[in-house]
């Protein structure tokens, strides 16, 4: 990569970082400015739900902006080290077209998808187990009964979800 491109991408990354930091600062200010109810009387449940929803959206946006800033810092460090524009996994050059769209990326197309996938499993998996045909506990029989009741309602599958031999 040429020196001019390094300088260009460094400027783009600094501008993007500054913009995201402004978003985070505004978010913090707005959170502090939001007033709570003056009385101790709780709000209507609908109002509480709306407040909870808004708070979750704000937290999600803040989390996303923080992650982007971390990615930008890593990209800026790669510029300092002279490795910017090379995939962090395989070392191949990242196409300029990709860097134009996602200047903070550190991965080529072949390895980018691996970075997006979450390695976390749903919380429910820690407390549920598959139905056991051999278990005879009361809890297991309730689980089977529940599954059968739900199964009677059908599925959300459409005919296109089945192979042709089903019909």
């Amino acid at each position: 990569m040429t020196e001019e491109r390094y300088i260009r991408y460094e400027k783009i990354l600094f501008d993007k970082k500054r913009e995201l930091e402004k978003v985070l600062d505004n978010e913090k200010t707005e959170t502090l400015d939001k007033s709570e109810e003056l009385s101790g009387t709780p709000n209507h449940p609908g109002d509480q739900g709306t407040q909870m929803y808004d708070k979750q959206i704000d937290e999600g946006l803040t989390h996303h902006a923080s992650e982007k800033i971390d990615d930008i810092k890593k990209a800026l460090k790669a510029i300092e080290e002279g490795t910017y524009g090379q995939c962090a996994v395989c070392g191949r050059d990242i196409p300029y077209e990709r860097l134009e769209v996602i200047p903070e990326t550190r991965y080529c197309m072949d390895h980018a998808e691996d970075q997006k996938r979450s390695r976390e499993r749903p919380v429910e998996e820690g407390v549920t187990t598959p139905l056991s045909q051999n278990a005879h506990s009361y809890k297991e029989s309730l689980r089977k009964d529940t599954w059968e009741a739900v199964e009677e309602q059908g599925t959300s599958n459409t005919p296109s979800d089945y192979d042709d031999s089903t019909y």
Side-chain angles (χ1 to χ4, degrees), residues 85-95 106-111:
Q86 296 172 349
C87 178
V89 176
C90 66
R92 290 186 311 207
D93 287 342
I94 300 171
R106 297 181 312 124
Y107 303 100
C108 67
M109 285 298 295
D110 294 337
H111 295 106

Side-chain angles (χ1 to χ4, degrees), residues 20 35 48 59-60 63 71 85-86 88 122 127 131 139 151 157:
L20 288 169
S35 62
Q48 290 174 336
E59 287 175 2
H63 179 73
D71 290 345
Q86 296 172 349
V127 294
L131 287 174
K139 181 180 175 184
E151 194 175 39
N157 292 345

Side-chain angles (χ1 to χ4, degrees), residues 143-159:
R143 290 180 67 206
K144 285 179 186 176
D145 291 345
T146 303
W147 175 253
E148 288 170 4
V150 170
E151 194 175 39
E152 287 176 6
Q153 302 302 315
T155 68
S156 61
N157 292 345
T158 63

Side-chain angles (χ1 to χ4, degrees), residues 60-153:
L61 292 172
T62 300
H63 179 73
H64 178 72
S66 296
E67 283 184 343
K68 280 291 185 191
I69 289 173
D70 290 343
D71 290 345
I72 290 170
K73 286 178 181 177
K74 290 174 185 173
L76 289 169
K77 185 173 179 166
I79 288 175
E80 288 177 18
E81 296 170 350
T83 59
Y84 180 77
Q86 296 172 349
C87 178
V89 176
C90 66
R92 290 186 311 207
D93 287 342
I94 300 171
Y96 293 123
E97 297 83 10
R98 180 166 171 74
L99 291 173
E100 286 294 319
V101 176
I102 314 169
E104 68 274 9
T105 190
R106 297 181 312 124
Y107 303 100
C108 67
M109 285 298 295
D110 294 337
H111 295 106
E113 191 63 33
D114 296 337
Q115 306 309 314
K116 289 181 185 175
R117 286 198 190 111
S118 174
R119 307 277 187 251
E120 298 175 10
R121 300 300 305 161
V123 173
E124 293 83 5
E125 286 185 3
V127 294
T128 60
T129 57
L131 287 174
S132 172
Q133 298 301 324
N134 301 329
H136 300 290
S137 70
Y138 177 70
K139 181 180 175 184
E140 196 66 23
S141 67
L142 283 176
R143 290 180 67 206
K144 285 179 186 176
D145 291 345
T146 303
W147 175 253
E148 288 170 4
V150 170
E151 194 175 39
E152 287 176 6
Q153 302 302 315

